[in-house]
Amino acid sequence: MAALKCNTLSLRSPALQFARPTSPDNYKRNAKWRSPQAAVIPNFHLPMRSLEVKNRTSTDDIKALRLITAIKTPYLPDGRFDLEAYDDLVNMQIVNGAEGIIVGGTTGEGQLMSWDEHIMLIGHTVNCFGGSIKVIGNTGSNSTREAIHATEQGFAVGMHGALHINPYYGKTSKEGMVSHFESVLSMGPSIIYNVPSRTGQDIPPRVIHTIAQSAYLAGVKECVGNDRVKQYTDNGIVVWSGNDDECHDSRWSYGATGVISVTSNLVPGLMRELMFGGKNPSLNAKLMPLMEWLFHEPNPIGLNTALAQLGVVRPVFRLPYVPLPLAKRVEFVNLVKEIGRENFVGEKDVQVLDDDDFILIGRY
């Protein structure tokens, strides 16, 4: 039988040899210990890649999306994913004209998922809806190692694009940001997400202009404001507004391609009109009170509360998120009436839920 060849390094390889005395005779117990030279193995860990292109999405396809919904993840009473409710939510986005969804983003509570749950939900979404809507998986992380691994898995299960955050909490330098993003950009179309209010660190334009040389950079989800949006769009970089209350002006006055929206979970048809129908200050003003209500507390607290009141998801919260207080729940009912129940997802009457109706789960 022919001997099997192994492509891994042998422990006897010179690259992995440790420094040691040249002969036992020269060994002295009190000799000063010297650290061995580190083994540098270029390109030893390569990204998992496939040459199959049949179902691949081009970067230009992602760049063209105008309404992307950061989709909510609903739960069963024991804390597991409620895939039936999730499928209904995604279907309502498709029917009402959303072009893409972010799976497991901040709104979808990816920060409360294990990576197994995260990749499973991306794969499920692609399997069920990938032919009707672009699936962008939030596979970013403050750990480059985790971001690489999750992005490899996300593209392996068929996601069309990736969303990447800059390293948060354990912040890095500008050069470190560039290295972090370059480590994942080669795997497929990617959107960079800048939200300093959550990460504690702005991604400066210099970093974006550096990584813009990559063919896989689709664009930036920008939350700093419209002046930054214009700075990018003037230089040919695609931008999605990350702030619902600024997205109308971003789109029609500052050159943004569209919005990655939370509000579109509730009123996808109206958000599509806002992004596709030209300048519409009256519609923007009509939606502004709803947007302000949604972000009264950190997202996704308001959205989770609203969808439960609309009866399209169970009133189940994974801690540390808890529902908005009763007064805000009453306020939401009035907002629905003012905007029109027919514009919101679901078919049930909006309700003011009692505190006891909500289930809060710490272990799941």
Side-chain angles (χ1 to χ4, degrees):
M1 180 181 294
L4 295 176
K5 292 183 179 180
C6 180
N7 291 324
T8 58
L9 288 176
S10 166
L11 292 177
R12 297 184 181 275
S13 169
L16 296 180
Q17 293 299 301
F18 294 94
R20 57 186 179 184
T22 55
S23 73
D25 296 335
N26 294 333
Y27 180 80
K28 296 180 181 179
R29 292 184 63 86
N30 61 350
K32 186 176 181 180
W33 180 83
R34 291 187 304 163
S35 173
Q37 184 178 0
V40 178
I41 311 167
N43 298 324
F44 185 61
H45 294 289
L46 294 173
M48 296 186 295
R49 289 193 178 96
S50 169
L51 297 179
E52 177 58 54
V53 296
K54 181 177 63 174
N55 294 320
R56 292 295 179 88
T57 296
S58 72
T59 305
D60 287 341
D61 289 337
I62 301 298
K63 288 181 177 181
L65 304 178
R66 285 157 289 185
L67 176 58
I68 303 172
T69 296
I71 197 74
K72 150 75 177 169
T73 307
Y75 305 114
L76 295 167
D78 61 3
R80 291 176 299 140
F81 295 159
D82 185 347
L83 292 180
E84 184 178 351
Y86 177 81
D87 292 350
D88 286 343
L89 290 176
V90 177
N91 266 314
M92 285 185 276
Q93 293 299 315
I94 294 169
V95 168
N96 286 281
E99 298 172 301
I101 52 174
I102 304 290
V103 178
T106 306
T107 305
E109 301 179 22
Q111 63 274 14
L112 304 186
M113 297 178 189
S114 69
W115 279 116
D116 284 345
E117 288 181 312
H118 209 132
I119 300 301
M120 180 276 283
L121 190 61
I122 292 172
H124 170 81
T125 309
V126 171
N127 185 47
C128 295
F129 307 104
S132 303
I133 197 167
K134 297 301 181 189
V135 178
I136 301 165
N138 172 33
T139 54
S141 172
N142 61 345
S143 161
T144 305
R145 176 184 63 84
E146 287 191 10
I148 291 171
H149 186 61
T151 305
E152 287 174 343
Q153 291 187 323
F155 279 116
V157 299
M159 70 181 184
H160 302 116
L163 182 72
H164 284 291
I165 196 78
N166 54 304
Y168 49 89
Y169 187 71
K171 297 183 286 188
T172 186
S173 63
K174 295 177 180 63
E175 292 74 16
M177 286 188 202
V178 170
S179 295
H180 175 80
F181 290 134
E182 287 180 342
S183 296
V184 292
L185 275 172
S186 62
M187 298 179 198
S190 300
I191 297 172
I192 303 301
Y193 182 17
N194 186 33
V195 56
S197 63
R198 289 188 180 271
T199 64
Q201 187 176 32
D202 181 34
I203 303 175
R206 177 162 67 89
V207 170
I208 298 299
H209 288 302
T210 300
I211 63 175
Q213 301 170 28
S214 170
Y216 286 121
L217 178 67
V220 182
K221 177 185 177 183
E222 184 57 73
C223 297
V224 166
N226 284 332
D227 289 340
R228 178 72 63 83
V229 170
K230 190 174 189 302
Q231 185 175 353
Y232 287 140
T233 57
D234 283 350
N235 287 278
I237 295 174
V238 170
V239 181
W240 293 270
S241 174
N243 301 322
D244 282 348
D245 60 346
E246 296 179 348
C247 72
H248 172 268
D249 292 347
S250 294
R251 172 82 170 101
W252 301 112
S253 300
Y254 293 89
T257 294
V259 64
I260 297 178
S261 176
V262 175
T263 306
S264 56
N265 278 277
L266 300 175
V267 286
L270 295 182
M271 289 303 296
R272 179 181 171 89
E273 186 177 344
L274 204 63
M275 290 296 100
F276 283 75
K279 282 190 176 183
N280 194 336
S282 61
L283 176 58
N284 191 49
K286 181 179 181 179
L287 291 173
M288 198 60 64
L290 175 62
M291 295 172 180
E292 293 172 353
W293 182 91
L294 274 172
F295 295 96
H296 174 76
E297 294 288 355
N299 181 51
I301 292 171
L303 177 64
N304 293 353
T305 305
L307 289 171
Q309 289 186 246
L310 290 168
V312 294
V313 304
R314 290 177 170 85
V316 179
F317 282 65
R318 282 185 174 183
L319 290 170
Y321 299 123
V322 297
L324 289 176
L326 181 60
K328 299 301 290 184
R329 302 199 294 265
V330 172
E331 186 179 331
F332 177 69
V333 171
N334 294 329
L335 285 170
V336 172
K337 292 177 180 177
E338 291 171 9
I339 295 172
R341 178 63 183 90
E342 68 279 4
N343 294 308
F344 286 78
V345 294
E347 298 178 353
K348 297 180 181 178
D349 291 336
V350 62
Q351 300 180 43
V352 178
L353 297 177
D354 295 328
D355 290 344
D356 292 341
D357 291 326
F358 292 95
I359 300 172
L360 310 182
I361 300 177
R363 288 180 179 236
Y364 41 84

